[in-house]
Amino acid sequence: MSKVIIGADTKGFELKEHLKNYLKELGHEVIDKTPEGDLDFVESTKLVAEAILNKEGDRGIAIDEYGAGSFMVGNKHKNIICAQVSDEHSSKMTRDHNNASMIALGSGIVGKKVAEKIVETFAKAEYAGGRHQIRIDMLNKMC
Amino acid sequence: MSKVIIGADTKGFELKEHLKNYLKELGHEVIDKTPEGDLDFVESTKLVAEAILNKEGDRGIAIDEYGAGSFMVGNKHKNIICAQVSDEHSSKMTRDHNNASMIALGSGIVGKKVAEKIVETFAKAEYAGGRHQIRIDMLNKMC
Amino acid sequence: MKISIGCDHIVTDIKNHIGKYLESKGHEVIDNGTYDHERTHYPIYGKKTAAKVVNKEADLGIVICGTGVGITTSATKIKGIRATLVRDVETVRYAREELNVNVIGIGGRICGVGLIENIIDVFLETKYKETPENKALIEKIDAMIEDNEQANDETMFDEFIEKWNNGGYPAE
Amino acid sequence: MKISIGCDHIVTDIKNHIGKYLESKGHEVIDNGTYDHERTHYPIYGKKTAAKVVNKEADLGIVICGTGVGITTSATKIKGIRATLVRDVETVRYAREELNVNVIGIGGRICGVGLIENIIDVFLETKYKETPENKALIEKIDAMIEDNEQANDETMFDEFIEKWNNGGYPAE
């Protein structure tokens, strides 16, 4: 089971609540960094990324209306690899190949059933390691 | 402007209400075949398809949780071409190439922003005709 | 399993890729064409692919065209076919488990091959879980088309192909 | 427009297709590689593609790898780049109009070429519409990375490539 850090801006708040409950039902521990829902995506995503960097959890989920803003903010953190995803296949592959510690979701882009499977897959999938590590080392030297 | 027939099963009801308002704001006429929201997708989609066949409108939208059930029911009607879509590009192309008179949407699959663009595109896009007509003639001879 | 596959001329390469992918997983493939990039018409191949499934020559079917709409619609119009046109993994899981779909359609100009392979994996590994509710839905869907011989009527589209060959349709 | 493009070895064919598509629409293309299917590493090409944009040698950038995640992440880690990794048309429209993104990433194993072309069309034709709200968000995003010379530091990854060449990473 994973320890999942979650956060959302105002427009992602409702999907965040839904996914928080879904992940808890699956048995994951969930830490909600934005219980109030009054932040913009820069602020909400920073809270998630900083919690990951502080090792408060091992997977981060940042939600806004499109996922685009949270994706940028996540990746502007050194040592964070954040994937913008709208399908469970990418969610699996980005754990497997990129060792992404965060995903960004758009509440206006994905329906709830797709979002459930994305976070379920992300919480469960493990990094494959091997040849992929050189690319991770390169990304982690950046910014 | 198009005359749009819309219908949903219980799980698609909320998205249907949202898209009905969205299409009306764009200036389209919308006829709601499932104002109560108490039907299964076979019943709700039949109401939309029959309205299209009766020429009550020129575009049909059928919604359930995944779109898969509505897609099947739509296409089991002779002279109906129904596209199951979750992206606006397919929505445009299926009007352009397939002259689809109906689309099926999944409320658990698409987010509201994506759904808005799908229906907006579907209501607006026109059939290109030309070489595509032979395939339409073939489809319309079936079932 | 035995898998019946078909495509139009826009996505022949992707259909060939899928055929090889299925064989690499130990499945037997019935390739209904088209086999090259010469312009042809998707209902021919959707119907052929579907016929193998309803005749029980194949267990399941996979059809592809540009968006998937045309060819999947043609398969769905065959009695006994329950098809879904998918762009995500979860829809195929649901459609197989709840609606016992026997054909999936994919848009070769919509989905990339990684996603397509994942969709196919889930299609083949997911089993129908019968419940009174979904059984009733399936029976209603199946009853919508009267018994007919369209699946095996190989001359059904001849009138249109003849018209096409005689210049009765525009070339563009 | 001048468009900077880059990819990894998994999707070179799709990058080449995009290059030709852009040229057919009258754009000038700067192709940062990779140019073949020999195994290489996406951050090299994400960074190169992004550098052309921040150095104003190109107006916009497009990066592609299998899922798009790796290469788009590497582009985003360059100061001055605002990138979005898209699988739908509406996200790119929003991201260009509201967040003035200058790079998009696409998963070549996730999206088909028809969808990719539509995404690119909308990326190139949509204009940023400045508002006080989105200007403030963009300033906050841009301020997150300190000024550094990473975009133009061509030796930045040498230590890892040397380690790779010396067998310091597993081959599988």
Side-chain angles (χ1 to χ4, degrees):
Chain A
M1 290 294 119
S2 288
K3 202 164 167 181
V4 179
I5 315 287
I6 200 164
D9 74 355
T10 307
K11 290 191 171 164
F13 186 80
E14 189 207 332
L15 182 59
K16 182 207 64 177
E17 293 297 305
H18 180 83
L19 294 177
K20 190 165 71 173
N21 293 331
Y22 184 76
L23 286 165
K24 283 180 180 171
E25 279 169 23
L26 292 175
H28 298 288
E29 187 180 340
V30 182
I31 301 169
D32 184 355
K33 287 286 165 182
T34 63
E36 305 295 337
D38 55 346
L39 303 177
D40 67 38
F41 65 69
V42 178
E43 295 158 347
S44 61
T45 306
K46 276 185 177 177
L47 292 175
V48 176
E50 284 160 12
I52 293 292
L53 292 171
N54 291 337
K55 304 202 187 303
E56 294 172 42
D58 39 25
R59 300 279 199 284
I61 300 171
I63 310 173
D64 64 73
E65 195 170 20
Y66 293 86
S70 299
F71 169 76
M72 272 186 260
V73 173
N75 280 321
K76 292 289 183 188
H77 288 83
K78 190 174 175 71
N79 291 316
I80 291 282
I81 298 170
C82 178
Q84 184 178 347
V85 294
S86 64
D87 71 292
E88 91 180 54
H89 179 64
S90 291
S91 191
K92 183 175 65 146
M93 295 310 293
T94 198
R95 284 292 309 144
D96 192 359
H97 286 189
N98 308 117
N99 198 16
S101 58
M102 282 182 63
I103 53 171
L105 296 178
S107 60
I109 303 302
V110 292
K112 281 183 181 154
K113 286 289 160 191
V114 168
E116 288 172 4
K117 290 297 165 183
I118 287 172
V119 299
E120 180 175 350
T121 303
F122 180 63
K124 194 168 54 184
E126 293 297 343
Y127 174 47
R131 69 182 186 281
H132 301 296
Q133 189 57 41
I134 180 173
R135 296 129 193 188
I136 311 307
D137 289 346
M138 288 173 168
L139 291 178
N140 285 339
K141 192 177 178 184
M142 297 183 83
C143 87
Chain B
M1 289 295 117
S2 287
K3 202 164 168 181
V4 179
I5 314 287
I6 200 165
D9 73 355
T10 308
K11 290 192 172 163
F13 186 80
E14 189 208 332
L15 182 61
K16 183 209 64 178
E17 293 296 307
H18 179 82
L19 295 177
K20 189 166 70 173
N21 293 331
Y22 184 77
L23 286 165
K24 282 180 181 171
E25 280 169 23
L26 292 175
H28 298 288
E29 187 180 340
V30 182
I31 301 168
D32 184 355
K33 286 287 166 183
T34 63
E36 306 295 338
D38 56 344
L39 303 176
D40 66 38
F41 65 71
V42 178
E43 295 158 346
S44 60
T45 306
K46 276 184 176 176
L47 291 175
V48 176
E50 285 161 11
I52 293 291
L53 293 171
N54 292 337
K55 303 201 187 306
E56 295 171 41
D58 39 23
R59 301 279 197 284
I61 299 171
I63 309 173
D64 64 72
E65 195 171 20
Y66 294 87
S70 299
F71 169 76
M72 272 187 260
V73 173
N75 280 321
K76 293 288 184 190
H77 288 82
K78 191 175 176 71
N79 291 318
I80 290 281
I81 297 170
C82 177
Q84 184 178 348
V85 292
S86 64
D87 70 293
E88 91 180 55
H89 178 65
S90 291
S91 191
K92 183 174 66 148
M93 295 310 294
T94 198
R95 283 292 309 144
D96 191 2
H97 286 188
N98 307 118
N99 198 15
S101 60
M102 280 182 64
I103 52 171
L105 294 179
S107 60
I109 302 303
V110 292
K112 281 181 182 156
K113 287 287 159 189
V114 168
E116 288 172 4
K117 290 296 164 183
I118 288 172
V119 300
E120 180 175 349
T121 303
F122 179 64
K124 194 169 56 184
E126 293 297 342
Y127 173 47
R131 70 183 186 279
H132 301 296
Q133 188 56 42
I134 179 172
R135 297 130 193 187
I136 311 307
D137 289 347
M138 288 174 168
L139 291 178
N140 284 339
K141 192 178 179 184
M142 298 184 80
C143 87
Chain C
M1 278 191 269
K2 270 196 194 173
I3 316 296
S4 177
I5 65 176
C7 67
D8 77 357
H9 57 287
I10 301 292
V11 294
T12 310
D13 295 342
I14 299 175
K15 191 250 349 226
N16 291 343
H17 177 91
I18 290 173
K20 281 183 200 141
Y21 180 75
L22 289 165
E23 286 173 352
S24 79
K25 299 268 175 179
H27 300 289
E28 193 177 323
V29 173
I30 304 173
D31 183 347
N32 301 282
T34 192
Y35 304 108
D36 54 33
H37 291 92
E38 194 179 333
R39 185 179 284 174
T40 181
H41 314 297
Y42 51 73
I44 300 169
Y45 307 96
K47 180 173 164 304
K48 276 188 188 176
T49 305
K52 302 291 193 303
V53 175
V54 295
N55 293 338
K56 300 196 190 303
E57 295 167 54
D59 300 296
L60 297 171
I62 301 170
V63 291
I64 327 151
C65 65
T67 60
V69 175
I71 200 162
T72 317
T73 292
S74 67
T76 310
K77 288 183 176 294
I78 294 295
K79 184 168 179 73
I81 293 294
R82 288 177 305 282
T84 182
L85 168 54
V86 294
R87 183 176 161 259
D88 70 281
V89 171
E90 175 61 2
T91 297
V92 72
R93 189 181 288 121
Y94 156 81
R96 187 90 186 93
E97 197 166 292
E98 292 287 330
L99 303 179
N100 199 11
V101 293
N102 45 22
V103 168
I104 56 167
I106 301 170
R109 285 177 58 85
I110 305 299
C111 295
V113 291
L115 178 56
I116 290 172
E117 290 171 4
N118 197 340
I119 284 170
I120 290 172
D121 290 345
V122 171
F123 179 46
L124 300 187
E125 80 197 15
T126 306
K127 299 266 180 289
Y128 172 49
K129 292 183 186 166
E130 186 180 301
T131 65
E133 292 75 23
N134 67 34
K135 188 163 178 280
L137 284 168
I138 289 169
E139 283 168 2
K140 284 207 265 186
I141 294 168
D142 285 346
M144 290 185 68
I145 300 182
E146 301 281 318
D147 278 311
N148 64 39
E149 291 299 319
Q150 291 187 358
N152 298 308
D153 178 358
E154 292 180 6
T155 62
M156 187 169 176
F157 297 144
D158 285 358
E159 57 174 309
F160 307 115
I161 293 166
E162 194 180 344
K163 181 176 165 187
W164 173 274
N165 290 338
N166 292 332
Y169 289 100
E172 290 308 315
Chain D
M1 276 192 271
K2 269 195 195 173
I3 316 295
S4 177
I5 65 175
C7 67
D8 76 356
H9 57 288
I10 302 293
V11 294
T12 309
D13 295 342
I14 298 174
K15 192 251 344 224
N16 292 343
H17 177 91
I18 290 174
K20 281 184 201 140
Y21 181 74
L22 290 167
E23 286 173 351
S24 79
K25 298 268 174 178
H27 300 289
E28 193 177 321
V29 173
I30 304 173
D31 182 346
N32 300 282
T34 188
Y35 305 107
D36 55 32
H37 292 92
E38 194 178 331
R39 184 179 286 174
T40 181
H41 314 297
Y42 50 71
I44 300 169
Y45 307 96
K47 182 173 162 304
K48 276 187 190 177
T49 305
K52 301 292 193 303
V53 176
V54 294
N55 293 336
K56 302 195 188 304
E57 296 167 55
D59 300 297
L60 297 170
I62 301 171
V63 291
I64 327 151
C65 66
T67 59
V69 174
I71 201 163
T72 317
T73 291
S74 67
T76 311
K77 288 184 178 293
I78 295 295
K79 183 166 181 74
I81 293 295
R82 288 177 305 281
T84 182
L85 169 55
V86 294
R87 184 177 160 256
D88 70 283
V89 171
E90 175 60 0
T91 296
V92 73
R93 189 182 287 120
Y94 157 81
R96 187 91 186 91
E97 197 166 293
E98 292 287 329
L99 303 179
N100 199 11
V101 293
N102 45 24
V103 168
I104 56 168
I106 302 170
R109 286 176 59 85
I110 305 299
C111 295
V113 291
L115 178 55
I116 290 173
E117 290 171 3
N118 197 339
I119 284 170
I120 290 173
D121 290 346
V122 170
F123 180 45
L124 300 188
E125 79 198 14
T126 306
K127 299 267 179 290
Y128 172 49
K129 293 184 185 162
E130 187 181 301
T131 65
E133 292 74 23
N134 68 33
K135 188 163 177 279
L137 283 168
I138 289 170
E139 282 169 4
K140 285 207 265 186
I141 294 168
D142 285 347
M144 289 184 69
I145 300 183
E146 302 281 319
D147 278 311
N148 64 38
E149 291 299 318
Q150 290 187 359
N152 298 306
D153 178 357
E154 292 181 4
T155 64
M156 188 170 174
F157 297 145
D158 285 359
E159 58 175 309
F160 306 116
I161 292 167
E162 194 181 345
K163 182 177 165 186
W164 174 274
N165 290 338
N166 292 332
Y169 290 100
E172 289 311 312

